[in-house]
Amino acid sequence: MGELAWLEDVLGDRFQQLTLPLGSDGEGDVVATLVRYRPPLGTLVSPFAPAHGVDVLYVHGWSDYFFQTTLAEYWHGVGARFHALDLRKYGRSLRDHQTPGYVADLATYDADIDAALAAMGHGENDERPSRRRLVLMGHSTGGLTLSLWAARHPGRASALVLNSPWLEFQTGGVGRAFITPLVQLGARVQPLGTLPQVDLGFYTRSVSAELDGEWSYESRWRPTRGFPAHRAWLNAVLEGHAAVAAGLGIEVPILTMLSARSTILPRWNDQMRHTDSVLVVDDIARASVRLGSTVTVARIEGALHDVILSAEAPRRAAYAALTRWLRAYAP
């Protein structure tokens, strides 16, 4: 994967993308896509910046892809090199013949992550491994995926930053235990069977510039009510939640950023513009402390499910909390 394989990205000339072939599955050839931020020539960052010498790999959530340009600019400003990964069957990596977002095991993404890290110079078997430190950042399902990956691959990353990670099912541990056997049965009998649509589009309304939000993105890669969810995929997520509940034992510092409150209702409420309308944040905060030995939880007043897509004031507060954490715990 040489330098010539990098192409200009859909986000413009400050971003480049690299296609990562991953072989094939039952739906044909599969790829992931690595995106990197290229700062303007001549841009200097202080060697005393809190993330100097750090490489960041960001992974998106369900029915999502990387488009958060301000996040890349933030990481550059604190001294890091920023990369983002569109996982297989999402965003830039989604092909017409594929079922969007579908996997039957979250460990399947090990291949995507390993390919991205190899392209970044952090391959597990590199003869000359990078001396830069690696920080992983994941949002929602991406936060769950990276947490599980870090637990399975100790020593690879130096820190973990989680943006509203989906660490527990919305019904809590008791509800999860009740529905898990039913989901397991459905996953065995009809893995690609679709689940009832529960996303009413309220989160999109709070984010999209075409509605009540301020962000523009490709709706084909981030649909209003999300992609159809499938039984085997949900079973994989529930298995991940159970692993978190049992404790992951991650040994590197972890930061979890969350909204201060949730508003989960069957009808629109204006509070959804200032709260998490997807996850029960109190349950996520409790689950976070089971990830490892050094966990910081930052609750951001006025934040959305993706705290980086919140209004300016909570977004600024989230970046300030991240910078404080970096100064204290940066590897």
Side-chain angles (χ1 to χ4, degrees):
M1 298 177 192
E3 192 72 19
L4 292 177
W6 287 94
L7 304 174
E8 184 173 322
D9 187 61
V10 295
L11 295 176
D13 60 5
R14 292 282 173 256
F15 294 85
Q16 293 178 318
Q17 64 169 263
L18 177 67
T19 299
L20 306 171
L22 300 173
S24 61
D25 63 8
E27 296 184 326
D29 290 342
V30 178
V31 303
T33 309
L34 186 64
V35 179
R36 67 181 180 185
Y37 176 65
R38 305 292 284 174
L41 291 175
T43 302
L44 298 178
V45 177
S46 169
F48 302 105
H52 178 73
V54 166
D55 287 340
V56 174
L57 179 64
Y58 169 86
V59 175
H60 58 82
W62 168 249
S63 293
D64 206 353
Y65 74 104
F66 171 68
F67 65 93
Q68 295 87 340
T69 56
T70 58
L71 179 63
E73 292 163 355
Y74 164 81
W75 278 110
H76 170 68
V78 294
R81 294 176 182 170
F82 178 85
H83 293 75
L85 180 62
D86 277 10
L87 297 168
R88 63 181 69 200
K89 305 184 184 183
Y90 283 104
R92 301 161 178 84
S93 307
L94 179 61
R95 302 298 184 258
D96 291 340
H97 62 273
Q98 294 174 338
T99 302
Y102 179 76
V103 291
D105 185 342
L106 295 182
T108 300
Y109 293 131
D110 281 17
D112 307 48
I113 296 167
D114 288 347
L117 294 179
M120 293 168 59
H122 290 271
E124 187 171 20
N125 299 314
D126 285 354
E127 293 182 2
R128 299 172 64 185
S130 174
R131 300 180 65 180
R132 299 176 65 83
R133 292 145 297 167
L134 175 66
V135 172
L136 302 175
M137 181 175 188
H139 168 56
S140 199
T141 315
L144 173 62
T145 299
L146 287 179
S147 296
L148 297 169
W149 185 92
R152 289 194 301 269
H153 299 84
R156 298 285 303 278
S158 297
L160 189 59
V161 178
L162 305 176
N163 171 5
S164 301
W166 192 15
L167 302 179
E168 180 58 276
F169 200 62
Q170 284 84 330
T171 58
V174 173
R176 170 169 49 79
F178 177 77
I179 69 168
T180 292
L182 300 174
V183 174
Q184 289 174 335
L185 176 61
R188 287 195 299 269
V189 173
Q190 193 180 16
L192 279 167
T194 56
L195 299 165
Q197 176 63 268
V198 296
D199 187 342
L200 301 177
F202 299 148
Y203 177 50
T204 294
R205 178 172 173 177
S206 67
V207 170
S208 172
E210 297 180 359
L211 298 168
D212 290 342
E214 59 179 283
W215 305 97
S216 297
Y217 52 81
E218 174 54 69
S219 59
R220 177 169 52 95
W221 293 341
R222 186 184 164 108
T224 300
R225 298 183 63 182
F227 296 128
H230 301 274
R231 294 175 181 179
W233 170 83
L234 180 58
N235 185 58
V237 170
L238 293 177
E239 288 178 347
H241 292 165
V244 170
L248 293 186
I250 299 171
E251 296 180 353
V252 300
I254 302 167
L255 170 66
T256 297
M257 297 189 295
L258 295 165
S259 179
R261 280 179 286 279
S262 295
T263 305
I264 301 178
L265 295 169
R267 63 188 183 282
W268 172 257
N269 183 296
D270 198 56
Q271 284 300 308
M272 292 175 177
R273 298 174 59 242
H274 312 290
T275 56
D276 191 321
S277 60
V278 178
L279 299 181
V280 181
V281 291
D282 289 345
D283 287 349
I284 304 304
R286 283 189 286 268
S288 292
V289 300
R290 302 188 188 104
L291 294 175
S293 58
T294 307
V295 180
T296 302
V297 178
R299 304 289 292 268
I300 310 299
E301 184 66 43
L304 297 174
H305 174 53
D306 186 339
V307 299
I308 302 306
L309 301 182
S310 304
E312 182 179 358
R315 186 166 72 244
R316 223 173 27 239
Y319 283 135
L322 178 50
T323 301
R324 286 194 299 273
W325 180 83
L326 285 170
R327 292 191 185 282
Y329 290 106

